[in-house]
Amino acid sequence: MTDSNPSVDVAEPQPTPERNRLYWHSRRGMWELDLLLIPFLDACYAQLDDSLKADYQRLITEEDQDLFTWLMRREPATDPSLQPIVQLIIDHAENGSIDQYKGL
């Protein structure tokens, strides 16, 4: 007989140091940004190509006020090369499941 613990999810990979670093840099001073960035990081980041991953890493170095303006579509990103990752985050928020916000 095997002892099974239903609270342990063996299918979920262990977080890497890079993933942990990105998670903490994606946590912002504005709850609205957390609601956009953390679910995107969890659901989409691993599938991005290297160029978009680099863009995400650059994006999260920007000021909260700028991120909020861009992600709320008030203005395009001041660096046009960031606009594709901004749009992917917006699309994920608009088309994702409400379940992506559980646990935040």
Side-chain angles (χ1 to χ4, degrees):
M1 182 170 145
T2 61
D3 186 34
S4 139
N5 183 348
S7 66
V8 176
D9 183 5
V10 294
E12 187 173 313
Q14 292 296 318
T16 65
E18 176 194 14
R19 165 59 176 76
N20 289 339
R21 181 184 58 78
L22 289 171
Y23 177 83
W24 288 109
H25 286 289
S26 296
R27 301 233 12 216
R28 309 306 289 206
M30 296 178 69
W31 179 244
E32 297 86 350
L33 293 176
D34 289 356
L35 290 173
L36 294 168
L37 296 175
I38 300 297
F40 179 82
L41 177 67
D42 287 342
C44 302
Y45 182 82
Q47 291 79 32
L48 296 176
D49 64 35
D50 289 341
S51 174
L52 286 170
K53 284 180 180 179
D55 290 343
Y56 184 83
Q57 292 172 22
R58 282 189 311 123
L59 181 72
I60 60 175
T61 66
E62 298 290 337
E63 297 292 327
D64 285 358
Q65 297 86 349
D66 294 329
L67 290 174
F68 185 78
T69 299
W70 303 336
L71 292 170
M72 294 294 113
R73 297 185 186 169
R74 293 184 180 158
E75 295 175 12
T78 52
D79 178 348
S81 69
L82 290 175
Q83 196 57 43
I85 194 70
V86 167
Q87 190 60 50
L88 286 173
I89 295 167
I90 291 168
D91 291 346
H92 181 261
E94 289 179 346
N95 300 313
S97 165
I98 193 74
D99 291 337
Q100 70 187 349
Y101 303 110
K102 290 183 179 177
L104 288 180

